[in-house]
Amino acid sequence: DAGITQSPRHKVTETGTPVTLRCHQTENHRYMYWYRQDPGHGLRLIHYSYGVKDTDKGEVSDGYSVSRSKTEDFLLTLESATSSQTSVYFCAATGTGINTIYFGEGSWLTVV
Amino acid sequence: GDSVTQMEGPVTLSEEAFLTINCTYTATGYPSLFWYVQYPGEGLQLLLKATKADDKGSNKGFEATYRKETTSFHLEKGSVQVSDSAVYFCALPSGGGSYIPTFGRGTSLIVHP
């Protein structure tokens, strides 16, 4: 068990509404990541964090924002959800050194 | 920058067949190398890793050897089971000043009884 939990695990929302996904870790990992996974695209990095209040964009950051106000929590917000953001979202975390990356179980988001 | 290339899937095998999933990488220096597995409906989990050249990682009957000469880390299993059906990802950890790990595109394995 990597100590990473995501919530909600499943959500259906309407186009144009804001949505926040939460990632919580219990291992004091410094680095945290949000990915989306879609058929044919593998894992794509949305945003990442390298410390409290330190975040940066990944390759598919448009329409998403993140916040990390404490080590254990990394929030992903879809400011105004669109159907193209229907996906499975994974949070991941790792520390320094030889970096095994630990993943959450995923959040299935459907935007209708 | 760093990159990982792994074979396209899906790979379809019968139970007890031999499995190879190819992975090659481009990186500065000699990074650690990882294989992750994703079972249906779940997140990725570490399958095995190797931290230096010529190391062999192994777990659950899977093996991979870190070959710096060919910059490869191919995943093998001598006899696959239906329960091995999953998506397999080759990966490099973050390094060289980057905080971002590098993943391959994933290879889907389907094992039939």
Side-chain angles (χ1 to χ4, degrees), chain B residues 12-84:
Chain B
T12 304
L13 296 172
S14 297
E15 206 164 26
E16 299 184 1
F18 184 84
L19 169 71
T20 300
I21 300 177
N22 292 335
C23 171
T24 57
Y25 68 92
T26 303
T28 303
Y30 301 107
S32 300
L33 297 169
F34 298 80
W35 276 102
Y36 288 82
V37 59
Q38 183 182 28
Y39 299 105
E42 299 183 9
L44 282 70
Q45 57 186 277
L46 180 67
L47 178 61
L48 54 85
K49 66 181 180 183
T51 57
K52 61 183 188 294
D54 300 324
D55 264 3
K56 178 183 285 187
S58 61
N59 187 24
K60 299 182 181 181
F62 291 89
E63 294 183 338
T65 301
Y66 188 153
R67 305 280 188 201
K68 68 176 182 179
E69 305 84 7
T70 54
T71 61
S72 65
F73 193 52
H74 304 323
L75 183 68
E76 297 180 336
K77 187 174 185 182
S79 176
V80 294
Q81 306 300 312
V82 172
S83 57
D84 294 326

Side-chain angles (χ1 to χ4, degrees), chain A residues 31 33 37 40 90 99 101 103, chain B residues 36 38 43-44 94 99 101 105:
Chain A
Y31 305 102
Y33 309 88
Q37 186 177 33
F90 288 98
N99 300 338
I101 305 154
F103 283 82
Chain B
Y36 288 82
Q38 183 182 28
L44 282 70
S94 55
Y99 305 121
R105 293 284 292 267

Side-chain angles (χ1 to χ4, degrees), chain A residues 53-74:
Chain A
K53 294 192 166 75
D54 291 323
T55 65
D56 207 346
K57 297 178 180 179
E59 62 182 295
V60 290
S61 60
D62 287 349
Y64 301 94
S65 61
V66 291
S67 66
R68 192 169 178 201
S69 59
K70 45 187 178 175
T71 300
E72 57 265 37
D73 290 327
F74 192 34

